Amino acid sequence: MRIQVNARNRAYQYEAQAGEKILYAGLRADIDLPYECGTGTCGTCKAKLIDGRIDDAWAQAPGRKYLKSEQGEFLMCQCAAAGDVSVEVSNFVYARDPGSCPATAMSGTVRAVRALTHDVMAMDVALDSPCDFDAGQFVVVAASGVPGMRGYSMVNFDRHARRLEFVIKKKSGGGFSEWLFSGKSEGVKLELFGPLGKATFYPSLGRNILCIAGGSGIAGIMSIASRAGQERYFEQHRGYVYFGVRSMRDTFYLDELSALRGQFPDKVAIVVALSDEDAPAAAMQQYPLLRFERGMVHEVAKREMAGKYQNLRAYLAGPPPAVDAAIRVLLLEAKLTADNIRYDKFS
């Protein structure tokens, strides 16, 4: 099927396979169509149908509340063309940046799951074919029998990766997380699409980096840290990592974060922010390379980073309210420009 997208700056044409979502087909064709979550939640990928017919795979998608359906608006991430179609988006649209990793449909198998905390699991997926992605990116994932797709950041970083590791927090009523926590996921085939997202780190950046993550948002930050460590980036630049959770019961990856600090003790600072309790003495003894502070992660970062914002790029991840709070700090206190505050909202 032929898709034509009329953007504010120009028109694009590309082919879509039967049943393929209009957004995914465009991204696969290296056209940077507007999106954030890619899973029907945020409404960013809304478009207006000009000509042709579409099939909506999820009429109850939360992002539909942002649409004017009577004017033909629909979500490109949820709708497939039922023939040749012409659509209109209100954004400027450009081709994919040269050098960035192309998005494509993938498949893989859940090889292992393990509990990180009482309500957070790690899921390891073996891919049927290798893929490239940039540190900080995410993919959308679907399991047979679980409606819809979910976005999860990669924890690991490898070129031509044969496996992807994810962090998944249990959410009440969350179909995918409840399925994962049911203990029936190992050996199950998954469908994936990606990589997606703009909160990417490249060793050519040449700036100090600040990472602020809440809860399972640490996943993408671990990927950034992994690539930075592989490239010995912190031999030349400083790194600041703030990891926010409620209590020590909710912490994970502290061994991995300690190892990163141990590699670059004079260049990397890592602070664990506990919002609901003071750090137990035993935790500080067990992890002497980490610092523990009481407070919301954006408040701790604001306090600790005063006077350290020069030559800096920030990466944010976590629940949307936590990301929004950190953005306010970085705009108002740090005076960072928008292009130096990177985050993806796909919750």
Side-chain angles (χ1 to χ4, degrees), residues 77-89:
C77 72
Q78 295 303 312
C79 295
D84 293 349
V85 300
S86 177
V87 308
E88 180 181 277
V89 297

Side-chain angles (χ1 to χ4, degrees), residues 96-116:
R96 177 173 62 89
D97 290 338
S100 60
C101 296
T104 186
M106 300 176 281
S107 59
T109 304
V110 179
R111 291 302 184 198
V113 295
R114 61 188 175 93
L116 298 176

Side-chain angles (χ1 to χ4, degrees), residues 67-258:
L67 304 179
K68 296 176 181 177
S69 300
E70 71 281 2
Q71 297 182 18
E73 292 184 348
F74 68 97
L75 298 175
M76 291 189 289
C77 72
Q78 295 303 312
C79 295
D84 293 349
V85 300
S86 177
V87 308
E88 180 181 277
V89 297
S90 60
N91 310 63
F92 287 87
V93 173
Y94 301 96
R96 177 173 62 89
D97 290 338
S100 60
C101 296
T104 186
M106 300 176 281
S107 59
T109 304
V110 179
R111 291 302 184 198
V113 295
R114 61 188 175 93
L116 298 176
T117 73
H118 62 102
D119 64 352
V120 176
M121 296 278 278
M123 180 178 73
D124 197 275
V125 176
L127 297 174
D128 293 340
S129 300
C131 80
D132 285 334
F133 61 91
D134 291 317
Q137 289 193 294
F138 69 97
V139 296
V140 293
V141 183
S144 178
V146 181
M149 303 188 83
R150 276 74 172 175
Y152 297 112
S153 295
M154 281 71 79
V155 174
N156 58 314
F157 175 79
D158 299 288
R159 285 297 188 209
H160 308 296
R162 284 281 185 177
R163 56 172 288 274
L164 302 178
E165 183 180 346
F166 304 101
V167 168
I168 299 173
K169 183 177 176 62
K170 187 175 184 179
K171 295 183 179 179
S172 178
F176 193 93
S177 67
E178 290 188 347
W179 167 77
L180 185 70
F181 276 76
S182 72
K184 301 176 182 177
S185 59
E186 289 196 35
V188 172
K189 202 80 170 177
L190 301 179
E191 300 301 322
L192 309 93
F193 184 86
L196 304 172
K198 307 295 178 62
T200 49
F201 165 76
Y202 302 96
S204 59
L205 174 64
R207 290 177 175 268
N208 301 325
I209 61 174
L210 165 64
C211 301
I212 304 175
S216 59
I218 194 67
I221 302 305
M222 297 302 294
S223 181
I224 289 172
S226 177
R227 184 165 198 194
Q230 291 174 28
E231 300 286 343
R232 310 296 298 177
Y233 187 80
F234 296 122
E235 289 181 350
Q236 302 296 324
H237 306 283
R238 293 193 174 277
Y240 307 93
V241 178
Y242 293 86
F243 177 27
V245 292
R246 291 181 180 275
S247 67
M248 282 301 299
R249 180 174 180 245
D250 303 300
T251 59
F252 54 96
Y253 287 153
L254 298 192
D255 290 329
E256 291 83 352
L257 291 169
S258 290

